[in-house]
Amino acid sequence: MTIHLIERAKKFQERTAILTPKGSFSYSDLFQQSEQVAKNLLHSSSDLKEKRVAFLLPSDFSYVKVQWGIWRAGGIAVPLCTSHPAPELEYIVQNSGASVIVTNNDFIDIIKPIAKRTRTQIILESAFCTQIDSPELPLLSSKRRAMILYTSGTTGRPKGVISTHKNIQSQIETLVKAWKWKQDDHILQILPLHHVHGIINILNCALWSGATCEMLLNFNSKVVWQHFVQSNLTLFMAVPTIYSKLISTWEESPPEQQQFWSKACSKIRLMVSGSAALPIQTLKKWKRISGHFLLERYGMTEIGMALSNPLEGKRVPGYVGLPLPGVKVRLVNENGHVVEPGIPGEIQVKGPNVFSEYWQRPKETKKSFQQGWFKTGDVAILENGIYKILGRNSVDIIKSGGYKVSALEIEGILQTHRDIKECAVIGIPDAEWGESVAVALVLKTKTVFQWDTFRKWAKSQLAPYKVPVHHIQMKILPRNAMGKVNKAKLANNFQGAVK
Ligand code: MCA
Ligand code: AMP
C-alpha cells in the first residue's frame, strides 16, 4: 500500500500546496522533493523499517517535505520544537531512539552536541537537494507506525504518542468531512509543528484536500491581522490564547485600523478554537470584532479530534458539540460504568483515530485503555444532547497557551537547582493563557535567591511554556496526612503572587 495522503498530491499537481514568505510550492514540488528526501534517507536500503528520524526545522516548506520524506521512506517522524532548549531536545532524541536528526544551519549549534552525546547522525536538510534515482520507495501497510509526538502526562517525563498512518488518515478524514475542507481552501499556519493541532488539523488536512497552507515561522499578532487583510484565507484555526492576543492587538489599534481588520475577517469561511477551554468572554469579544462565532472543538494528542460543534447549525458557547464522524465517545464514572446524560464522567474515546501505543511504555499503554476505550483523563457532561468539558481529573496537568504541561515534570527539574529544598507547581487561572504555571519554593537556608536568575536557569532546562511565571516562597509546603502536597490549598497562597 502507498500512503493515501501523499498519493493524493498527484491529483493536485500545480496547485499551490505551501506558501511561505520565501516562496510558493506546488503539490508537484512537494511530491518530487519529498521523494528525494526519502531516497536520500534510504541511501542504499529499501525501507527505513520504522527507524526514528528526528527533525528540527522551521515552519516552512523544508519541514513539510522532510516529514513526508520520512514517511515515504518507511520511517517514523519525530518532530522537534524550535523553541526547546537543549535538554528538552536531547530527551526526545534519546527517548525515541532516533538514529538520524535532520536540521539546517540555523539549529546546527544546538544539535551538534546532542547528536554527539546520543550518537545520532546529523543530516543537513540542504543535502536532500542531491538527485538520486534509486532505490524504489517501499510499499507500506496502513498499520506502519508513522509519528511520535511527545505529550506531558501525570507521571515523569513526556511520553511518546505513536500514531500509525491509519490513525493519521482517519484523524484527517473526519475533520475534512466535518468542516467541509475543499481544494479552494487556504489556511494560515502559525502554530508550533510538534503537536496535533498544527500538524494534523492545519497542515495535513490542507494537504489532503488539495488546499493551500500558508506558513509563517511563528505567531505574531499584528502579522496575523495583516494576513487576514492581504491573504485569501478561507480558514483560521488557533488556541484561545491566540484569539485573546489578537483581541488585545485590535483593541489597542486606532478605529480606522480596527474597521479595516474587522472587515477583512468576512472573507474567511470558518474560524476554529481548540486545545484548551475557550472562555465565553473571548468567544463574545471575537464575535463582536470579527463577526465569527468560533467553532470550538475538543481533542488530544492520543486521539486527534473527538468532539466538535457543527459547521452548520447551532454552536453553543461553553460546549464542544458532538462526536466527529467515525469517532465513538462515552462518559464513565470512577467505577468504570457509563454514566447517564446529566452526570459528569471521564471522556473515553474509541475509533481508528486513537493512537496505537506510548513509545516503549507497554504498562502505561495498557493502563490508559478500558475495554478498548482510551481514557482521556478529561471530565465532561452531556447536557441537552451536547458535551461540555468540566475539567481534568488531575491537578498535575496544566494547560497554558494551549500547551499541556506536567506539574510533576517541572517540579522534578526545578528541584535539581542548588538553592531549592523543595517545590510544588500548580496552574493558576489566567484570562489570557488559560492557566499560568506557578511555583511555591522552599529554599535551602542561607540562600540569597534571585527569581530572575532562577528563571533564566529554568529556561535553559525547560521549554519556555513550562517555565513558571508566578512564584512564592514558603517555609514549608502544605501537606495532607499522607504527606502529599495539598495543591488545592496551595492555590490560595497565590492570590497577589509575585510575577
Ligand atoms: C507564559 N508566558 C506568560 C504566561 N504564560 N507571560 C505572562 N503571563 C502568563 N500567564 C510567557 C512566558 O513567560 C514566556 O515568555 C512565553 O510566554 C513562553 O510561552 P510560549 O507559549 O512559548 O509563548 P509565545 O512565544 O508568546 O507564544 C504564545 C502562543 C504559544 C503563540 C500562544 O503559546 C502557542 O503557539 N501555543 C499553541 C500551542 C499548541 O499548538 N498547542 C496544541 C497542543 P518569555 O519566553 O518571553 O519569558 S494541544 C493539541 O494538539 C490537541 C490535540 C488539541 O486539542 O489541539
Ligand atoms: P494535548 O495532550 O496537548 O493534546 O492536549 C489535550 C488536552 O487539551 C485535552 O486532554 C484537554 O484537556 C485539552 N483540550 C483540548 N481541547 C479542549 C477544549 N475545547 N476545551 C477544553 N479542553 C480542551
Side-chain angles (χ1 to χ4, degrees):
M1 221 198 94
T2 47
I3 304 161
H4 210 42
L5 165 68
I6 292 168
E7 281 303 299
R8 288 173 62 89
K10 286 188 198 158
K11 290 204 302 197
F12 305 123
Q13 301 263 347
E14 294 316 309
R15 293 188 65 81
T16 303
I18 303 293
L19 193 59
T20 73
K22 283 193 193 149
S24 128
F25 302 86
S26 68
Y27 278 86
S28 297
D29 294 333
L30 179 55
F31 194 77
Q32 281 161 15
Q33 293 196 38
S34 60
E35 184 169 319
Q36 282 312 314
V37 173
K39 288 182 172 175
N40 274 276
L41 284 172
L42 283 167
H43 204 48
S44 53
S45 69
S46 58
D47 185 340
L48 287 186
K49 293 191 177 155
E50 300 191 341
K51 225 164 121 171
R52 274 78 61 214
V53 181
F55 59 116
L56 181 60
L57 290 167
S59 171
D60 66 15
F61 184 65
S62 66
Y63 175 100
V64 189
K65 75 171 184 187
V66 168
Q67 182 182 64
W68 277 31
I70 298 166
W71 286 342
R72 296 181 77 183
I76 298 183
V78 186
L80 300 173
C81 174
T82 52
S83 73
H84 278 185
E88 293 262 13
L89 297 172
E90 185 161 339
Y91 168 75
I92 293 173
V93 171
Q94 184 91 58
N95 185 271
S96 64
S99 50
V100 176
I101 308 173
V102 180
T103 191
N104 70 15
N105 280 324
D106 293 341
F107 300 107
I108 196 74
D109 289 345
I110 194 165
I111 287 299
K112 254 191 189 161
I114 295 173
K116 196 166 173 212
R117 279 193 294 273
T118 56
R119 293 165 196 243
T120 314
Q121 183 196 356
I122 299 177
I123 302 182
L124 282 180
E125 176 267 320
S126 52
F128 293 139
C129 296
T130 318
Q131 196 76 16
I132 300 187
D133 290 333
S134 59
E136 283 294 302
L137 298 184
L139 289 177
L140 306 170
S141 136
S142 65
K143 289 188 189 139
R144 172 70 64 111
R145 296 183 288 181
M147 185 159 68
I148 306 185
L149 299 182
Y150 279 80
T151 188
S152 294
T154 44
T155 48
R157 302 298 307 266
K159 295 174 284 196
V161 174
I162 301 209
S163 307
T164 61
H165 285 289
K166 187 176 170 198
N167 297 146
I168 291 175
Q169 181 171 329
S170 67
Q171 290 177 6
I172 293 172
E173 280 184 303
T174 190
L175 293 183
V176 168
K177 189 169 177 190
W179 300 342
K180 295 197 175 157
W181 274 88
K182 46 189 171 18
Q183 280 189 29
D184 296 333
D185 276 322
H186 183 147
I187 193 164
L188 192 64
Q189 150 53 28
I190 34 93
L191 292 180
L193 284 173
H194 64 302
H195 282 304
V196 164
H197 199 158
I199 299 172
I200 302 291
N201 298 25
I202 297 175
L203 176 62
N204 281 297
C205 275
L207 297 175
W208 176 278
S209 310
T212 297
C213 182
E214 184 164 357
M215 303 177 83
L216 301 180
L217 290 182
N218 45 37
F219 169 72
N220 173 302
S221 196
K222 270 208 172 123
V223 174
V224 168
W225 273 117
Q226 282 156 9
H227 275 77
F228 286 168
V229 175
Q230 77 197 36
S231 299
N232 293 319
L233 300 179
T234 62
L235 293 166
F236 184 72
M237 298 179 194
V239 300
T241 304
I242 286 184
Y243 286 106
S244 177
K245 285 177 181 284
L246 289 170
I247 290 169
S248 303
T249 305
W250 186 93
E251 284 174 340
E252 287 155 13
S253 300
E256 319 81 67
Q257 181 74 80
Q258 291 179 341
Q259 274 177 21
F260 192 52
W261 281 349
S262 293
K263 198 162 160 255
C265 294
S266 62
K267 62 176 189 270
I268 299 176
R269 74 170 177 90
L270 173 65
M271 289 185 159
V272 178
S273 172
S275 301
L278 174 65
I280 293 183
Q281 262 315 90
T282 310
L283 178 131
K284 282 185 177 163
K285 273 194 177 172
W286 190 252
K287 172 86 175 73
R288 265 205 311 278
I289 289 175
S290 71
H292 283 268
F293 192 114
L294 289 170
L295 181 155
E296 187 175 6
R297 55 67 183 173
Y298 159 85
M300 194 174 180
T301 305
E302 288 87 335
I303 59 172
M305 299 302 110
L307 298 162
S308 171
N309 272 288
L311 176 69
E312 288 138 9
K314 196 164 178 246
R315 299 176 196 163
V316 184
Y319 289 73
V320 287
L322 287 169
L324 282 153
V327 181
K328 286 192 192 143
V329 172
R330 67 179 194 182
L331 300 183
V332 170
N333 65 18
E334 294 90 34
N335 305 322
H337 298 129
V338 175
V339 298
E340 295 292 320
I343 310 282
E346 181 192 42
I347 304 175
Q348 297 194 350
V349 180
K350 201 178 194 175
N353 54 307
V354 177
F355 77 125
S356 69
E357 80 223 72
Y358 291 117
W359 175 247
Q360 292 184 331
R361 299 207 197 200
K363 274 195 204 138
E364 271 169 277
T365 305
K366 197 160 175 245
K367 251 176 57 191
S368 62
F369 284 87
Q370 180 187 330
Q371 295 142 355
W373 292 80
F374 173 67
K375 305 193 288 186
T376 62
D378 289 308
V379 178
I381 190 167
L382 187 64
E383 275 177 354
N384 305 318
I386 43 174
Y387 287 90
K388 179 182 185 147
I389 312 284
L390 299 177
R392 289 194 59 87
N393 59 16
S394 166
V395 285
D396 289 320
I397 294 292
I398 303 165
K399 265 270 160 171
S400 181
Y403 282 114
K404 182 174 170 186
V405 301
S406 154
L408 301 181
E409 183 197 356
I410 300 171
E411 288 164 8
I413 299 290
L414 298 186
Q415 262 151 12
T416 65
H417 190 274
R418 58 185 153 78
D419 293 343
I420 306 302
K421 190 168 167 211
E422 54 176 355
C423 68
V425 169
I426 58 168
I428 55 175
D430 184 288
E432 185 175 32
W433 294 84
E435 284 180 296
S436 305
V437 181
V439 63
L441 299 165
V442 178
L443 301 175
K444 287 182 181 158
T445 43
K446 292 192 192 144
T447 296
V448 183
F449 181 76
Q450 278 190 314
W451 171 242
D452 289 346
T453 317
F454 177 74
R455 223 177 155 255
K456 212 164 151 197
W457 168 82
K459 269 190 166 184
S460 71
Q461 305 296 311
L462 288 162
Y465 47 86
K466 295 179 187 171
V467 176
V469 285
H470 302 288
H471 79 287
I472 49 169
Q473 290 180 25
M474 299 183 92
K475 287 214 166 70
I476 186 170
L477 296 175
R479 292 183 186 273
N480 62 19
M482 311 287 288
K484 234 183 133 201
V485 175
N486 185 339
K487 292 201 169 176
K489 199 168 168 195
L490 196 57
N492 299 331
N493 296 61
F494 276 91
Q495 279 159 14
V498 192
K499 210 172 185 177

